Amino acid sequence: MDIADVTTPPTTYPSLAVRVRRAARWTTLGALLAGVGGATALVAGLTGHGATSSEAHPSITPTMGLPYPLVAVLLGAAGLLVALGLVRLRALVGAIGRAGTDRRGPAQTITAVGAAGVAALALAAVCDANPLALTGYLPAMLVMAPFSEEMRLALASVPWPPMLAELAVVGTTAVVVLGAVTALDALRGDAPRPRWQQPAAAARWGRTAVGVAVAAPLLYAVTRVAWVLGWPIGFDMASFEAAGGDVSNGLMLSAAAVVGSVLTIGLVRPWGERFWPWLPGLGGRRVPVPLAVVPASLVAAMLLPAGMSMIVGAVQGIGVAGLASLADNWAAVGVTFLWPVWSVALAAATWAYALRRDGDRVAVTTAA
């Protein structure tokens, strides 16, 4: 098949019934996760415990100065609020499935955007960089663990309860955002999508988003590889090594950053829509949309609190006025300040990919 055939925007779009079913699934799942998670955090806070952090496992977050039970209560309240918003959206989606007319309005838009916004705010406020670090290190740690006592000890030292709690918040946020987006798409009824959401337009702004989402991790990877090769770009290597630091530790995350960049490029390339022909059993087949959208959405969700954690940690350590002192060590911490931007760019690139592939999925189903 010619490359042009793969990248040509589809002309068949999901019917209202398909969009309603999709929105119903995501809003229901999001409401369930947010409700259960919110209730759990609320109970933990009211009984004097933390939710994603505690005195035994403190986190560097914007809420780190507040009592852990209070943070848990606030997280629980946010979860229940988000759940109520998604329940309301689920009811509206059911109604639009019967009526078929455009039911979008200020109240519906505020409900959807508000649910996603509250979930993202809670994510940034109570989670830190640990989920992202674990995602980057874990593959190499699992491979090396059978041969390295150090890696086995590292795996055993992972604080799994708070880590799993943070991962639950990450996953819930991703599902809530998908629920809000699919609900708004269903609520337009039989009305056409806005022009900026049409495949051709999504391809244009999607490429810009991919460019930003690729530049940020590559900058991180380039600096870490340069350090290992003996080029202290933006880094006081002598002081770091004198304190017992090892720059080679950054290679695993650098490798993960490079792999992530390549996969991100796939969101705008033909091989992101069809598997390479030489792949056994998969060559030439269409890439399932969830296979690209779900991992990218989860990584985007992890990046937001990771970046906020690094910024908060720097401000807590040296103060706002002292941030200028990072000029000589800009690559050590400064590049991580771009992670929130990377998060937004990756989320936008993923959405653009989903918009372009939406009709593609329908065309495949129809042809089958």
Side-chain angles (χ1 to χ4, degrees):
M1 173 173 284
D2 189 80
I3 289 179
D5 294 333
V6 179
T7 56
T8 299
T11 56
T12 305
Y13 301 101
S15 66
L16 176 59
V18 170
R19 289 184 282 116
V20 165
R21 287 196 300 270
R22 183 167 57 196
R25 286 195 299 267
W26 283 113
T27 51
T28 300
L29 179 59
L32 180 62
L33 292 176
V36 172
T40 302
L42 193 61
V43 170
L46 293 177
T47 54
H49 299 83
T52 58
S53 58
S54 63
E55 292 182 4
H57 302 288
S59 297
I60 301 176
T61 66
T63 57
M64 63 185 297
L66 298 176
Y68 295 117
L70 176 59
V71 174
V73 169
L74 293 175
L75 176 62
L80 294 178
L81 181 63
V82 168
L84 289 175
L86 290 180
V87 168
R88 174 58 179 163
L89 288 174
R90 174 65 181 85
L92 292 171
V93 166
I96 195 68
R98 294 186 294 271
T101 55
D102 191 341
R103 297 288 294 274
R104 290 172 300 176
Q108 290 75 21
T109 302
I110 290 173
T111 300
V113 174
V118 170
L121 183 62
L123 172 70
V126 304
C127 293
D128 56 22
N130 283 329
L132 182 66
L134 179 66
T135 302
Y137 283 121
L138 190 58
M141 292 171 69
L142 291 175
V143 171
M144 297 170 63
F147 315 102
S148 170
E149 177 67 20
E150 181 182 358
M151 288 299 168
R152 289 194 292 272
L153 291 175
L155 281 172
S157 66
V158 174
W160 287 109
M163 181 69 75
L164 292 176
E166 289 196 48
L167 289 172
V169 177
V170 167
T172 299
T173 301
V175 172
V176 167
V177 172
L178 287 171
V181 170
T182 55
L184 285 177
D185 189 43
L187 289 175
R188 66 182 171 86
D190 294 319
R193 276 181 176 157
R195 182 173 298 178
W196 65 275
Q197 291 184 18
Q198 298 292 331
R204 289 192 294 271
W205 56 263
R207 284 192 292 270
T208 302
V210 164
V212 176
V214 167
L218 283 184
L219 177 61
Y220 178 91
V222 167
T223 56
R224 270 55 184 176
V225 172
W227 297 351
V228 173
L229 296 177
W231 300 330
I233 299 175
F235 182 53
D236 186 358
M237 186 181 297
S239 298
F240 181 73
E241 292 181 337
D246 184 1
V247 294
S248 65
N249 290 335
L251 284 179
M252 282 190 284
L253 285 182
S254 297
V258 171
V259 171
S261 296
V262 172
L263 294 177
T264 301
I265 293 173
L267 296 176
V268 292
R269 300 300 300 162
W271 51 267
E273 300 180 21
R274 282 187 181 274
F275 290 107
W276 285 303
W278 47 265
L279 285 177
L282 295 174
R285 295 187 179 186
R286 293 184 183 274
V287 176
V289 176
L291 186 62
V293 170
V294 172
S297 299
L298 291 174
V299 172
M302 292 180 194
L303 283 167
L304 179 60
M308 293 301 299
S309 176
M310 301 303 294
I311 295 171
V312 169
V315 172
Q316 288 283 340
I318 59 179
V320 176
L323 290 178
S325 65
L326 293 176
D328 294 333
N329 281 285
W330 62 266
V333 179
V335 293
T336 64
F337 292 178
L338 298 175
W339 287 356
V341 178
W342 180 10
S343 171
V344 174
L346 181 56
T350 305
W351 189 17
Y353 175 88
L355 288 172
R356 289 192 301 104
R357 295 291 310 279
D358 213 11
D360 187 38
R361 287 183 287 177
V362 176
V364 171
T365 304
T366 303

